[in-house]
Coordinates of all heavy atoms in Angstrom, one line a residue:
Chain B
A31 N 87.9 -45.0 -199.9 CA 87.0 -45.8 -200.6 C 87.6 -47.0 -201.2 O 87.1 -48.1 -201.2 CB 86.2 -44.9 -201.6
H32 N 88.8 -46.7 -201.7 CA 89.6 -47.8 -202.4 C 89.8 -49.0 -201.3 O 89.6 -50.1 -201.6 CB 90.9 -47.3 -202.9 CG 91.7 -48.3 -203.6 ND1 91.7 -48.5 -205.0 CD2 92.5 -49.3 -203.2 CE1 92.5 -49.5 -205.4 NE2 93.0 -50.0 -204.3
F33 N 90.2 -48.5 -200.1 CA 90.4 -49.6 -199.1 C 89.1 -50.3 -198.8 O 89.1 -51.5 -198.7 CB 90.9 -48.8 -197.8 CG 92.4 -48.8 -197.7 CD1 93.1 -47.6 -198.0 CD2 93.2 -49.9 -197.3 CE1 94.5 -47.6 -197.9 CE2 94.6 -49.9 -197.2 CZ 95.2 -48.7 -197.6
T34 N 88.1 -49.5 -198.7 CA 86.8 -50.1 -198.3 C 86.4 -51.2 -199.4 O 86.0 -52.4 -199.0 CB 85.7 -49.1 -198.2 OG1 86.1 -48.0 -197.5 CG2 84.4 -49.6 -197.7
F35 N 86.5 -50.8 -200.7 CA 86.1 -51.7 -201.7 C 87.0 -53.0 -201.8 O 86.6 -54.1 -201.9 CB 86.1 -51.1 -203.1 CG 85.0 -50.0 -203.3 CD1 85.3 -48.7 -203.6 CD2 83.7 -50.4 -203.1 CE1 84.3 -47.8 -203.7 CE2 82.7 -49.5 -203.3 CZ 83.0 -48.2 -203.5
A36 N 88.3 -52.7 -201.6 CA 89.3 -53.8 -201.6 C 89.1 -54.8 -200.5 O 89.2 -56.0 -200.6 CB 90.7 -53.3 -201.7
L37 N 88.8 -54.2 -199.3 CA 88.6 -55.0 -198.1 C 87.4 -55.9 -198.3 O 87.4 -57.1 -198.0 CB 88.4 -54.2 -196.8 CG 89.7 -53.6 -196.3 CD1 89.4 -52.5 -195.2 CD2 90.6 -54.6 -195.7
Q38 N 86.4 -55.3 -198.9 CA 85.2 -56.1 -199.3 C 85.5 -57.3 -200.2 O 84.9 -58.4 -200.1 CB 84.1 -55.3 -200.0 CG 83.2 -54.5 -199.1 CD 82.3 -53.6 -199.8 OE1 82.3 -53.6 -201.1 NE2 81.4 -52.9 -199.1
N39 N 86.5 -57.1 -201.0 CA 86.9 -58.2 -201.9 C 87.8 -59.1 -201.3 O 88.4 -60.0 -202.0 CB 87.6 -57.6 -203.2 CG 86.6 -57.0 -204.2 OD1 85.5 -56.6 -203.8 ND2 86.9 -57.0 -205.4
G40 N 88.0 -59.0 -200.0 CA 88.8 -60.0 -199.3 C 90.3 -59.8 -199.3 O 91.0 -60.8 -199.0
K41 N 90.7 -58.6 -199.6 CA 92.2 -58.4 -199.5 C 92.6 -57.9 -198.1 O 91.7 -57.3 -197.4 CB 92.6 -57.3 -200.5 CG 92.6 -57.9 -202.0 CD 93.1 -56.9 -202.9 CE 93.1 -57.4 -204.4 NZ 93.3 -56.3 -205.4
S42 N 93.8 -58.1 -197.7 CA 94.3 -57.6 -196.4 C 94.7 -56.2 -196.6 O 95.0 -55.7 -197.7 CB 95.4 -58.4 -195.9 OG 96.6 -58.2 -196.6
E43 N 94.7 -55.4 -195.4 CA 95.1 -54.0 -195.5 C 96.5 -53.9 -196.0 O 96.8 -52.9 -196.8 CB 95.0 -53.4 -194.1 CG 93.6 -53.2 -193.6 CD 93.5 -52.5 -192.3 OE1 94.5 -52.1 -191.7 OE2 92.3 -52.3 -191.8
E44 N 97.4 -54.7 -195.6 CA 98.8 -54.7 -196.1 C 98.9 -54.9 -197.6 O 99.7 -54.1 -198.3 CB 99.7 -55.7 -195.4 CG 100.1 -55.3 -193.9 CD 99.0 -55.4 -192.9 OE1 97.9 -56.1 -193.3 OE2 99.1 -54.8 -191.8
E45 N 98.1 -55.9 -198.1 CA 98.2 -56.1 -199.5 C 97.7 -54.9 -200.3 O 98.4 -54.5 -201.3 CB 97.2 -57.3 -199.7 CG 97.6 -58.3 -200.7 CD 96.5 -59.4 -200.8 OE1 95.9 -59.7 -199.8 OE2 96.2 -59.8 -201.9
I46 N 96.6 -54.3 -199.8 CA 96.1 -53.2 -200.5 C 97.1 -52.0 -200.5 O 97.3 -51.3 -201.5 CB 94.7 -52.7 -199.8 CG1 93.7 -53.8 -199.8 CG2 94.2 -51.5 -200.5 CD1 92.6 -53.6 -198.9
A47 N 97.7 -51.8 -199.3 CA 98.6 -50.6 -199.2 C 99.8 -50.9 -200.2 O 100.2 -49.9 -200.8 CB 99.1 -50.5 -197.8
S48 N 100.3 -52.1 -200.3 CA 101.4 -52.3 -201.2 C 101.0 -52.2 -202.6 O 101.8 -51.7 -203.5 CB 102.1 -53.6 -200.9 OG 101.4 -54.6 -201.4
E49 N 99.8 -52.6 -202.9 CA 99.3 -52.4 -204.3 C 99.2 -50.9 -204.7 O 99.4 -50.6 -205.8 CB 98.0 -53.1 -204.6 CG 98.2 -54.6 -204.8 CD 96.8 -55.3 -204.9 OE1 95.7 -54.7 -204.7 OE2 96.8 -56.5 -205.1
L50 N 98.8 -50.1 -203.7 CA 98.6 -48.7 -204.0 C 99.9 -48.0 -204.3 O 100.0 -47.2 -205.1 CB 97.9 -48.0 -202.8 CG 96.4 -48.3 -202.7 CD1 95.8 -47.7 -201.4 CD2 95.7 -47.6 -203.9
G51 N 100.9 -48.4 -203.5 CA 102.2 -47.8 -203.8 C 102.7 -47.0 -202.6 O 102.1 -47.0 -201.5
N52 N 103.8 -46.3 -202.8 CA 104.4 -45.5 -201.8 C 103.6 -44.2 -201.6 O 103.5 -43.4 -202.5 CB 105.9 -45.2 -202.2 CG 106.7 -44.4 -201.2 OD1 106.0 -43.8 -200.3 ND2 107.9 -44.3 -201.3
P53 N 103.1 -43.9 -200.4 CA 102.3 -42.7 -200.1 C 103.1 -41.4 -200.5 O 102.4 -40.5 -201.0 CB 102.0 -42.7 -198.6 CG 102.3 -44.1 -198.2 CD 103.3 -44.8 -199.1
A54 N 104.4 -41.4 -200.2 CA 105.1 -40.1 -200.5 C 105.1 -39.9 -202.0 O 104.9 -38.8 -202.5 CB 106.5 -40.2 -200.0
E55 N 105.3 -41.0 -202.8 CA 105.4 -40.8 -204.3 C 104.0 -40.4 -204.8 O 103.9 -39.6 -205.7 CB 105.8 -42.0 -204.9 CG 107.4 -42.2 -205.0 CD 107.9 -43.4 -205.6 OE1 107.1 -44.0 -206.4 OE2 108.9 -43.9 -205.2
L56 N 103.0 -41.1 -204.3 CA 101.6 -40.8 -204.7 C 101.2 -39.3 -204.5 O 100.7 -38.6 -205.3 CB 100.6 -41.7 -204.0 CG 100.7 -43.2 -204.3 CD1 99.8 -44.0 -203.5 CD2 100.5 -43.4 -205.8
A57 N 101.6 -38.9 -203.3 CA 101.3 -37.4 -202.9 C 102.1 -36.5 -203.8 O 101.5 -35.5 -204.3 CB 101.8 -37.2 -201.5
K58 N 103.3 -36.9 -204.2 CA 104.1 -36.0 -205.1 C 103.4 -36.0 -206.5 O 103.3 -34.8 -207.0 CB 105.5 -36.6 -205.2 CG 106.5 -35.7 -205.9 CD 107.9 -36.3 -205.8 CE 108.8 -35.6 -206.8 NZ 108.4 -35.8 -208.2
E59 N 102.9 -37.1 -206.9 CA 102.2 -37.1 -208.2 C 100.9 -36.2 -208.1 O 100.7 -35.4 -209.1 CB 101.8 -38.5 -208.6 CG 102.6 -39.1 -209.7 CD 102.4 -40.5 -209.8 OE1 101.3 -41.0 -210.2 OE2 103.4 -41.3 -209.5
A60 N 100.2 -36.3 -207.1 CA 99.0 -35.5 -206.9 C 99.3 -34.1 -206.9 O 98.6 -33.2 -207.5 CB 98.3 -36.0 -205.6
I61 N 100.4 -33.7 -206.2 CA 100.8 -32.3 -206.1 C 101.3 -31.8 -207.5 O 101.0 -30.7 -207.9 CB 101.8 -32.1 -205.0 CG1 101.1 -32.3 -203.6 CG2 102.4 -30.6 -205.0 CD1 102.1 -32.7 -202.5
D62 N 102.2 -32.5 -208.1 CA 102.8 -32.1 -209.4 C 101.7 -32.0 -210.4 O 101.6 -31.1 -211.2 CB 103.8 -33.1 -209.9 CG 105.1 -33.1 -209.0 OD1 105.2 -32.1 -208.2 OD2 105.9 -34.0 -209.2
G63 N 100.8 -33.0 -210.5 CA 99.8 -33.0 -211.5 C 98.8 -31.9 -211.5 O 98.4 -31.4 -212.6
R64 N 98.5 -31.4 -210.4 CA 97.4 -30.4 -210.3 C 97.8 -29.1 -210.8 O 96.9 -28.2 -211.1 CB 96.9 -30.3 -208.9 CG 97.8 -29.6 -207.9 CD 97.2 -29.7 -206.5 NE 96.2 -28.7 -206.3 CZ 96.5 -27.4 -205.9 NH1 97.7 -27.0 -205.9 NH2 95.5 -26.5 -205.7
F65 N 99.1 -28.8 -210.9 CA 99.5 -27.4 -211.3 C 99.6 -27.3 -212.8 O 99.8 -26.3 -213.3 CB 100.7 -27.0 -210.6 CG 100.5 -26.7 -209.2 CD1 101.1 -27.4 -208.2 CD2 99.7 -25.6 -208.8 CE1 100.9 -27.1 -206.9 CE2 99.5 -25.3 -207.5 CZ 100.1 -26.1 -206.5
A66 N 99.6 -28.4 -213.5 CA 99.7 -28.4 -214.9 C 98.6 -27.7 -215.6 O 97.4 -28.2 -215.5 CB 99.8 -29.8 -215.5
P67 N 98.7 -26.5 -216.1 CA 97.6 -25.7 -216.6 C 97.2 -26.2 -218.0 O 98.0 -26.6 -218.8 CB 98.1 -24.3 -216.7 CG 99.7 -24.5 -216.8 CD 100.0 -25.8 -216.3
K68 N 95.9 -26.3 -218.1 CA 95.4 -26.8 -219.4 C 95.6 -25.7 -220.4 O 96.0 -26.0 -221.6 CB 93.9 -27.2 -219.2 CG 93.3 -27.8 -220.5 CD 91.8 -28.1 -220.2 CE 91.2 -28.5 -221.5 NZ 89.7 -28.3 -221.4
E69 N 95.2 -24.5 -220.1 CA 95.3 -23.3 -220.9 C 96.7 -22.7 -220.7 O 97.1 -22.6 -219.6 CB 94.2 -22.3 -220.7 CG 92.8 -22.8 -220.8 CD 92.5 -22.9 -222.3 OE1 93.1 -22.2 -223.1 OE2 91.6 -23.7 -222.6
P70 N 97.3 -22.2 -221.8 CA 98.5 -21.4 -221.5 C 98.2 -20.2 -220.7 O 97.1 -19.7 -220.7 CB 99.0 -21.1 -222.9 CG 97.9 -21.3 -223.8 CD 97.0 -22.3 -223.1
V71 N 99.2 -19.7 -220.0 CA 99.0 -18.5 -219.1 C 99.2 -17.3 -220.0 O 100.1 -17.1 -220.8 CB 100.1 -18.5 -218.0 CG1 99.9 -17.3 -217.2 CG2 100.0 -19.8 -217.2
Y72 N 98.2 -16.3 -219.8 CA 98.3 -15.1 -220.6 C 98.7 -14.0 -219.6 O 98.2 -13.9 -218.5 CB 97.0 -14.8 -221.2 CG 96.6 -15.8 -222.2 CD1 95.6 -16.7 -222.0 CD2 97.3 -15.9 -223.4 CE1 95.3 -17.7 -222.9 CE2 97.0 -16.8 -224.4 CZ 96.0 -17.7 -224.1 OH 95.7 -18.7 -225.0
W73 N 99.5 -13.1 -220.1 CA 100.0 -12.0 -219.3 C 99.3 -10.7 -219.6 O 99.5 -9.7 -219.0 CB 101.5 -11.8 -219.4 CG 102.2 -13.1 -219.1 CD1 102.8 -13.9 -220.1 CD2 102.5 -13.6 -217.9 NE1 103.3 -15.0 -219.4 CE2 103.2 -14.8 -218.1 CE3 102.2 -13.2 -216.6 CZ2 103.6 -15.7 -217.0 CZ3 102.6 -14.1 -215.5 CH2 103.3 -15.3 -215.8
F74 N 98.4 -10.8 -220.6 CA 97.8 -9.6 -221.1 C 96.3 -9.7 -220.7 O 96.0 -10.4 -219.7 CB 97.9 -9.5 -222.6 CG 99.3 -9.5 -223.0 CD1 99.8 -10.6 -223.7 CD2 100.2 -8.5 -222.7 CE1 101.1 -10.7 -224.1 CE2 101.5 -8.6 -223.0 CZ 102.0 -9.7 -223.7
N75 N 95.5 -8.9 -221.3 CA 94.1 -8.9 -221.0 C 93.5 -10.3 -221.1 O 93.5 -10.9 -222.2 CB 93.4 -7.9 -222.0 CG 92.0 -7.8 -221.7 OD1 91.5 -8.3 -220.7 ND2 91.3 -7.1 -222.5
P76 N 93.0 -10.8 -220.0 CA 92.5 -12.2 -220.0 C 91.2 -12.3 -220.9 O 90.7 -13.4 -221.2 CB 92.2 -12.5 -218.5 CG 92.0 -11.2 -217.9 CD 92.9 -10.2 -218.7

Side-chain angles (χ1 to χ4, degrees):
Chain B
H32 185 97
F33 269 102
T34 313
F35 291 123
L37 285 169
Q38 275 179 358
N39 281 27
K41 288 186 181 165
S42 74
E43 290 187 359
E44 280 74 17
E45 221 180 323
I46 301 163
S48 78
E49 277 175 358
L50 280 173
N52 180 346
E55 276 177 30
L56 295 175
K58 191 171 165 293
E59 254 166 66
I61 293 160
D62 290 348
R64 69 185 281 277
F65 288 114
K68 188 183 168 197
E69 297 284 337
V71 178
Y72 296 106
W73 304 102
F74 308 110
N75 183 5

